[in-house]
Amino acid sequence: MRSLRELIERVSGHAITSVESEGDAGLAEVLPFPFLAMVGQMEMKLSLLLCLVNPSVGGVLLVGPRGTGKTTAVRSLIDLLPQVPRSLCYYGCMPEDVESGGMDAVCPDCARKYAQGEPLSIMDRVRLVDLPLNARLEDVVGGLDERLVVHDRVRLKRGILAQADRNLLYVDEVNLLSGDLVNAILDAAAQGSYTVRRGPVSATYRSRFVLMGSMNPEEGKLRPQIMDRFGLRVVVRGLSGIADSDDCLEIYRRVHAYQQNPRQVVEQYTPETSLARDEIQTARNLLPRVTMPDSVARLGLNLIGDLHIDSLRAEITLFEAGRAYAALDGRLEVTPADLAEVAPMALRMRRSVFMAEYFAGQDKEETELHDVLAKTFIPGTPDTSLHIGG
Ligand SMILES: [Zn+2]
């Protein structure tokens, strides 16, 4: 990848110009730290961009201690998000539903609109939807809407998982999420939709989201089922992973400048940010035409086999991330170099510890077994001659 990667490397290397203090204007407005102003952390940045280009990559999990910029990086995506077609309807009906499943595949309102040639969807920017740790199950999947009960008709309100349809769903401290919320996410992710029933009312919502999570491994493990749901996995090492003391100083300068005057820092990066957003949209438009030759796919499968990874999702993620990488470089064919670039992100933390220990134990037994067999049956060894001599 040249253009976008070069842009990121170049801009990330610029020293920030000094800003004037804004004083305490009491501003509550949140301006995300610019993505391009983050120093280093190339793998983290790349993993996030690949997810924006290709939702089939399956999202990303950022693993690292506190204060390494994981949350900042995810929030900074807000200025880079591409456009997607989005339903105008409460139930998420789309024109392609009618095309594939007929008029019964959409709600009566949308069927009428479709028949009259009215649009069912518009182009809209992808959103970053937060799933806070303290959310209730009812907030996440949806529940009865009290305001609507008054009108004699009970209606369900959309939960966070429905709002996340065709968006990014971000869970910070995902390893601390309660079991029922994890299950709700896994169900929705597996089906791309989910159904809520409350008494006589039920509704099915689309929920095709890109899952993004961050976690501090010091605070607890992540359940294997949800771990497997994350396509890419990045280990974020923070300052200790940055050898260059000039970089450390530059990070300090930028964070300090941002705290003094977020608006001026954001403005310094605005032209490059909009350039990067265009590159991402272009790559996204190119993606459907990006293919992978069989020879390259075989390389990927061999790699997964040699690493003893036993997850179909590893394969999907590796190939889809390879396609996204090629698209970001403006190419229509995935090369071995593309796979090599994305493989660490797609394949790390894929091995089951249980299975690895099981196989290691089995290997030990096999070695002992063959040692004893060799001693017993190969002539000329001391043991054998002893037996023959006796
Ligand atoms: Zn509808």
Side-chain angles (χ1 to χ4, degrees):
M1 180 164 28
R2 284 170 293 270
S3 49
L4 185 57
R5 188 167 188 150
E6 255 171 30
L7 176 74
I8 290 171
E9 275 167 354
R10 184 164 48 81
V11 177
S12 151
H14 285 173
I16 193 161
T17 47
S18 63
V19 300
E20 297 146 32
S21 171
E22 219 170 24
D24 186 7
L27 286 175
E29 179 192 4
V30 183
L31 284 173
F33 190 79
F35 185 83
L36 294 166
M38 284 187 300
V39 177
Q41 309 281 19
M42 191 41 118
E43 201 184 44
M44 173 164 70
K45 291 180 196 167
L46 196 53
S47 68
L48 294 168
L49 296 179
L50 292 172
C51 292
L52 294 191
V53 171
N54 185 359
S56 302
V57 164
V60 60
L61 175 66
L62 305 176
V63 182
R66 286 168 65 91
T68 45
K70 305 184 297 294
T71 305
T72 303
V74 173
R75 301 235 175 277
S76 73
L77 291 177
I78 287 172
D79 291 326
L80 298 176
L81 298 174
Q83 303 248 336
V84 287
R86 197 183 296 285
S87 174
L88 290 165
C89 161
Y90 186 85
Y91 298 103
C93 309
M94 294 291 281
E96 58 261 32
D97 299 338
V98 183
E99 284 142 29
S100 62
M103 287 299 195
D104 289 343
V106 294
C107 75
D109 272 356
C110 287
R112 180 189 54 76
K113 278 188 181 175
Y114 190 87
Q116 293 174 355
E118 287 175 43
L120 303 190
S121 64
I122 47 157
M123 290 304 280
D124 186 23
R125 202 166 289 292
V126 169
R127 281 171 229 156
L128 180 66
V129 177
D130 267 297
L131 196 157
L133 276 188
N134 60 2
R136 298 168 306 163
L137 186 60
E138 193 177 303
D139 301 327
V140 174
V141 299
L144 291 178
D145 191 333
E146 292 82 4
R147 289 166 306 158
L148 292 160
V149 178
V150 187
H151 299 291
D152 210 30
R153 256 182 79 196
V154 184
R155 207 172 162 186
L156 295 170
K157 71 177 168 214
R158 284 152 55 95
I160 292 171
L161 288 175
Q163 292 162 26
D165 186 42
R166 291 192 158 236
N167 288 319
L168 311 178
L169 180 66
Y170 177 47
V171 193
D172 190 14
E173 301 186 276
V174 63
N175 51 334
L176 305 183
L177 205 59
S178 69
D180 53 349
L181 298 192
V182 168
N183 290 335
I185 293 176
L186 290 175
D187 284 351
Q191 308 290 329
S193 67
Y194 65 95
T195 301
V196 186
R197 286 189 188 81
R198 291 288 180 271
V201 205
S202 83
T204 298
Y205 300 101
R206 283 161 201 289
S207 186
R208 300 152 297 179
F209 48 80
V210 172
L211 187 60
M212 296 193 157
S214 49
M215 62 175 271
N216 176 355
E218 294 168 309
E219 288 170 349
K221 280 186 166 180
L222 191 60
R223 277 168 52 187
Q225 298 96 313
I226 188 149
M227 173 68 108
D228 194 48
R229 270 286 154 197
F230 288 100
L232 305 175
R233 300 97 189 282
V234 175
V235 178
V236 189
R237 286 174 207 274
L239 284 184
S240 67
I242 298 172
D244 193 334
S245 62
D246 286 351
D247 279 355
C248 291
L249 189 59
E250 186 57 28
I251 291 170
Y252 166 75
R253 284 205 188 102
R254 288 181 194 188
V255 170
H256 181 70
Y258 176 76
Q259 282 164 351
Q260 292 280 304
N261 194 330
R263 195 180 311 277
Q264 275 190 26
V265 172
V266 169
E267 276 167 10
Q268 284 190 27
Y269 289 90
T270 300
E272 288 93 348
T273 298
S274 78
L275 212 63
R277 188 170 57 226
D278 291 348
E279 291 279 344
I280 291 163
Q281 186 74 56
T282 305
R284 199 167 160 123
N285 297 343
L286 194 66
L287 185 77
R289 292 188 284 135
V290 177
T291 59
M292 181 160 46
D294 285 352
S295 60
V296 179
R298 256 193 297 276
L299 279 177
L301 293 177
N302 289 345
L303 180 64
I304 290 171
D306 289 346
L307 289 168
H308 306 290
I309 293 168
D310 192 17
S311 160
L312 177 63
R313 224 177 294 283
E315 205 176 300
I316 297 170
T317 294
L318 178 65
F319 292 167
E320 293 298 332
R323 291 179 63 235
Y325 195 87
L328 269 174
D329 192 23
R331 283 179 287 111
L332 289 174
E333 201 171 278
V334 182
T335 65
D338 295 336
L339 283 196
E341 192 69 41
V342 300
M345 292 179 254
L347 302 183
R348 71 165 62 92
M349 297 182 206
R350 285 284 184 189
R351 269 185 281 194
S352 149
V353 174
F354 174 83
M355 289 313 292
E357 281 169 3
Y358 179 84
F359 286 131
Q362 195 58 42
D363 286 348
K364 191 163 171 281
E365 190 192 339
E366 291 290 321
T367 309
E368 285 167 12
L369 183 65
H370 286 283
D371 283 352
V372 174
L373 279 174
K375 279 181 194 159
T376 310
F377 293 112
I378 295 175
T381 59
D383 274 11
T384 319
S385 34
L386 191 72
H387 285 296
I388 293 166

